[in-house]
Amino acid sequence: MRIDVVSIFPSYFDGLTLSLLGKARDSGILDLHVHDLRDWTHDRHRTVDDTPYGGGAGMVMKPEPWGLALDDLTAGLDTRPTIIFPSPAGELFRQSTARELAHREHLIFGCGRYEGIDERVFEYASTLGDVRLMSLGDYVLNGGEVAVMAMTEAIGRLIPGVVGNPESLVEESHEDGLLEYPSYTKPSTWREREVPPVLLSGNHGAIAAWRREQQIERTRQRRPDLLAE
Ligand code: 6GU
């Protein structure tokens, strides 16, 4: 998979070279490129923002650098990329979204800052690729960078070969619409706290049933919205 990220803070993404995704990059499974939006400006101050038409607080990202960046990153492609703009005004990014996007050949992430990007950029981008505005949840971040880090990690670990043991993917929170069951390791007694006896029983059927109950009970307590779905 190829991933291009456009940001005015490219060094945010240095962290993606570490750990799991770093290994995926080194092995060639993940071809990640981070770009500085200011490389597509042509004025002395490398300006990327301006005041909003109609007035109001804050600044808006100018369309011109975004247009040039998208032109360059989509020139000569033989497949249509998916172009994702992180935004608190977007659709919710969920595990099902990550699963879907993990199958795409080419993702382009455009990180907005300030009060957002000139709306025409999204229309223009849709002439070059399949555009998605995606939100992590109902709270506001200062810009898209942290959101793109999260989305890239969620997507990247689902690409075949990135997570060493694919079985570790299927029993996680959200993979089956429920939260994960609790996990324990040795010692069996720690500071007067016992591991649930069923896990020491060797009875695989009983263990599976207990884990399922735990998943349902936790989901009911912590995320009743998921059970309703
Ligand atoms: Cl994707 N961007 C920003 N700026 N804030 C957010 C978000 C995204 N998701 C939740 N809050």
Side-chain angles (χ1 to χ4, degrees), residues 131-205:
V131 171
R132 308 277 291 268
L133 269 69
M134 308 253 37
S135 167
L136 287 192
D138 297 336
Y139 43 83
V140 178
L141 306 171
N142 279 333
E145 283 76 9
V146 168
V148 169
M149 297 271 286
M151 293 184 211
T152 305
E153 186 155 315
I155 295 164
R157 61 195 295 287
L158 297 179
I159 302 170
V162 172
V163 168
N165 176 6
E167 275 189 25
S168 69
L169 292 174
V170 300
E171 294 198 343
E172 289 170 321
S173 293
H174 303 297
E175 268 308 324
D176 57 2
L178 296 172
L179 302 184
E180 196 172 32
Y181 56 74
S183 299
Y184 301 85
T185 187
K186 292 175 275 298
S188 63
T189 305
W190 173 74
R191 302 194 179 187
E192 277 110 68
R193 286 158 173 83
E194 307 285 343
V195 169
V198 64
L199 297 178
L200 310 177
S201 69
N203 180 339
H204 298 296

Side-chain angles (χ1 to χ4, degrees), residues 179-184 196 199 210-215 218 222:
L179 302 184
E180 196 172 32
Y181 56 74
S183 299
Y184 301 85
L199 297 178
W210 179 84
R211 285 177 166 167
R212 194 71 183 170
E213 270 166 43
Q214 291 289 312
Q215 283 193 282
R218 282 185 152 189
R222 300 176 187 174

